[in-house]
Amino acid sequence: MSAGPFALVDASNFYVSCERVFRPSLNGIPVVVLSSNDGCAIARSNEAKALGIKMGAPWFEIKHFAESAGLVALSANFTLYGDMSDRMMSLAAGLGPAQEIYSIDESFIGLDGVRGDLTDRARKVRNRILVWTGIPCGIGIGPTKTLAKLANYISKTAERKPGSYPAELAQVCNLGTLSKEDLDALLAATAVGEVWGVGRRIAEQLEEGGIRTVLELARLDPATVRRRWSVVLERTVRELQGMSCVQMEDVPAPKKEIAYTRSFGRLVTDLEPLLEAVSEYASRAAEKLRKQGSVAGNVLVFAHTSPYRPGPKYHRSVVVPLRRPSADTAAIVHAATAGIQQIYQPGFDLIKAGVMLLDLAPDHRMQGELDLEDDGAAVAERGRLMKVMDGLNNRYGKGTVHVASSGFDDAHRAWRMRQERRTPHYTTNILDIPIARA
DNA sequence: TCTGGGGTCCTAGGACCC
DNA sequence: TCTGGGGTCCTAGGACCC
């Protein structure tokens, strides 16, 4: 187990930065990356933020900036971002002995036992990531994970908005080297809503109580916070006070649930396309399940109408238990389609459906293990089939082999998502590799 | 016309049991 | 008329994160 201090290495505008590596013409102009169906902005360049574009802003509301301000929008290219993430993470790991990959673009580094000037070391790592991958990051260092997160926020804000914080905190901010007075001044200059664990709701409640800055939150009595709010916020207050309560988790815990949910490219009303979509989602979820080496006990399937559109509302889900815990695509697809038929009602314009696998457990059944169940041989046979299927799809691309119930005719599969602005898979597909011309 | 997806944890309340 | 107390398990919903 690693005790503090901790660093948080977090890429700046990660998805946009990935796109810029391969299209330098995007530098210096406002860029957003859109969610699936090109629905809303999930990443923004600094120039886009300066236009006032908020996280999650629907594309149709910000589209006008394309004309007026040269805004460029791209469809999310998660294959590219995942690969760039791997490269960035392996370089960030050089900062200290322990690494917890917290999300696609950020990792905590345990700095316990690291000698020398941490700030200087972090600057070198930041530079290496920038030069070797092209991705700019901010690095925050502090005695607890919550303070490292806060330091990271300061490092990025100091760079993006000159004058907001002392300029020397830009890019790398080490709270551990500051005097008590300087640290308090920083906390007093930061809004309470920027703290890790304080969302919109709790920020509102705190502000109503006159707690507006991080410093004011840090000075609350933890026991009072626990009584009035929760153990979670109490822990956050203690962390702000410098007491480390959240440990590093170097080995990722297996997921407790696995989901595959999507909005449709077009509204779906009939059962037939709904069944196709649910079959496909269930297959994808089953693939993720096998990749983790787990089996599921229950399958949840849901569908709903758009919360934004007028008209009759529908929102239903059902949990279908599997006869025995399984990772077999056929069993999971069967449960999901049975469930959707059970809750389906005609006459609703559905916008989204999803499949969630619940009650996950490790798949202990080794290949060739003697299975005393009556149909043990059949189960083992299915396991081999799944391996072959995953192998083919890995090698020749997603969906090369799929269950018949998810449909064959792409023209009719209108429920599939739209993605009209996707860039090539520069780093993972040989056909998409950029070519430099002399 | 057009509004993402995938997770975790905590808590309150109900069902059930002794 | 009168109607305990405590524990566990499960679920739904809320809040948070990226």
Side-chain angles (χ1 to χ4, degrees):
Chain A
M1 178 159 314
S2 137
F6 302 91
L8 181 73
V9 184
D10 186 333
S12 308
N13 316 325
F14 182 56
Y15 299 165
V16 171
S17 296
C18 289
E19 299 288 354
R20 281 178 166 170
V21 171
F22 297 93
R23 276 167 75 174
S25 62
L26 296 174
N27 284 309
I29 65 169
V31 180
V32 293
V33 171
L34 301 175
S35 63
S36 67
N37 277 321
D38 296 341
C40 50
I42 53 172
R44 307 155 292 155
S45 70
N46 289 347
E47 299 79 7
K49 289 175 186 170
L51 285 174
I53 295 173
K54 301 276 181 247
M55 186 64 175
W59 171 235
F60 71 90
E61 282 179 4
I62 56 173
K63 218 178 200 168
H64 62 93
F65 285 124
E67 288 284 317
S68 63
L71 174 65
V72 173
L74 301 168
S75 304
N77 184 346
F78 288 111
T79 309
L80 174 65
Y81 310 151
D83 186 62
M84 294 299 284
S85 174
D86 292 344
R87 297 163 193 240
M88 179 189 142
M89 292 302 171
S90 63
L91 294 172
L95 185 54
Q99 181 181 40
E100 173 186 340
I101 295 176
Y102 181 68
S103 76
I104 192 166
D105 76 327
E106 59 187 301
S107 64
F108 286 101
I109 307 293
L111 299 175
D112 192 19
V114 177
R115 293 169 182 276
D117 182 340
L118 291 179
T119 311
D120 182 54
R121 187 182 173 91
R123 288 202 183 280
K124 286 183 174 136
V125 168
R126 182 189 184 277
N127 193 54
R128 185 180 303 158
I129 295 173
L130 182 62
V131 172
W132 290 13
T133 71
I135 304 289
C137 342
I139 300 184
I141 301 172
T144 67
K145 285 168 94 176
T146 302
L147 285 168
K149 274 284 248 188
L150 198 71
N152 180 270
Y153 167 78
I154 292 169
S155 76
K156 296 214 277 197
T157 309
E159 174 155 44
R160 186 162 63 85
K161 292 186 190 163
S164 57
Y165 291 103
E168 65 269 23
L169 300 181
Q171 301 185 352
V172 171
C173 169
N174 183 354
L175 297 181
T177 59
L178 299 178
S179 68
K180 178 97 176 64
E181 294 71 41
D182 287 350
L183 178 59
D184 283 358
L186 281 183
L187 300 190
T190 306
V192 76
E194 304 300 342
V195 173
W196 188 38
V198 177
R200 206 187 37 133
R201 216 46 188 267
I202 290 173
E204 274 172 20
Q205 293 167 9
L206 287 167
E207 282 159 14
E208 279 169 23
I211 310 296
R212 279 175 297 273
T213 71
V214 181
L215 186 63
E216 288 164 338
L217 177 61
R219 288 186 170 166
L220 290 181
D221 167 44
T224 310
V225 171
R226 178 179 196 144
R227 236 178 296 120
R228 175 124 177 242
W229 281 278
S230 67
V231 291
V232 183
L233 194 63
E234 179 200 15
R235 201 178 55 198
T236 298
V237 169
R238 289 191 195 278
E239 285 242 320
L240 287 174
Q241 294 170 350
M243 179 195 292
S244 182
C245 307
V246 185
Q247 300 310 312
M248 290 283 286
E249 287 166 31
D250 331 25
V251 274
K255 304 250 178 286
K256 297 172 176 176
E257 50 187 71
I258 284 175
Y260 195 96
T261 76
R262 285 290 180 280
S263 295
F264 301 131
R266 191 183 302 168
L267 295 173
V268 165
T269 311
D270 297 332
L271 181 58
E272 188 194 350
L274 184 59
L275 280 169
E276 277 185 15
V278 164
S279 296
E280 163 125 1
Y281 297 176
S283 306
R284 294 266 172 265
E287 280 171 15
K288 289 197 211 176
L289 184 66
R290 292 194 292 274
K291 201 164 180 190
Q292 169 167 299
S294 297
V295 290
N298 280 302
V299 177
L300 180 147
V301 59
F302 71 83
H304 63 76
T305 50
S306 168
Y308 305 103
R309 293 169 147 269
K313 296 279 184 249
Y314 171 97
H315 200 297
R316 287 196 66 181
S317 66
V318 63
V319 175
V320 182
L322 293 174
R323 198 163 51 84
R324 81 163 59 136
S326 171
D328 187 314
T329 291
I332 288 166
V333 167
H334 182 261
T337 51
I340 202 72
Q341 291 184 81
Q342 189 185 324
I343 59 173
Y344 172 77
Q345 287 170 16
F348 292 99
D349 290 332
L350 302 172
I351 188 68
K352 183 174 181 176
V355 172
M356 298 172 74
L357 306 179
L358 312 174
D359 299 307
L360 307 193
D363 181 7
H364 286 313
R365 190 171 37 77
M366 307 302 275
Q367 200 169 13
E369 183 183 317
L370 183 62
D371 191 328
L372 298 177
E373 297 271 353
D374 50 353
D375 54 353
V379 170
E381 185 76 15
R382 299 292 309 179
R384 283 195 290 277
L385 175 60
M386 291 300 116
K387 268 212 172 77
V388 170
M389 216 168 118
D390 291 341
L392 287 171
N393 286 332
N394 249 329
R395 181 153 178 192
Y396 299 106
K398 271 181 199 168
T400 301
V401 191
H402 63 89
V403 292
S405 51
S406 59
F408 291 100
D409 185 351
D410 267 344
H412 285 118
R413 302 211 294 169
W415 48 269
R416 309 208 91 199
M417 68 174 176
R418 301 182 307 268
Q419 250 203 330
E420 288 157 3
R421 306 154 178 277
R422 211 204 73 227
T423 50
H425 291 147
Y426 298 111
T427 61
T428 53
N429 187 330
I430 192 79
L431 300 175
D432 284 350
I433 284 183
I435 297 168
R437 295 191 176 80

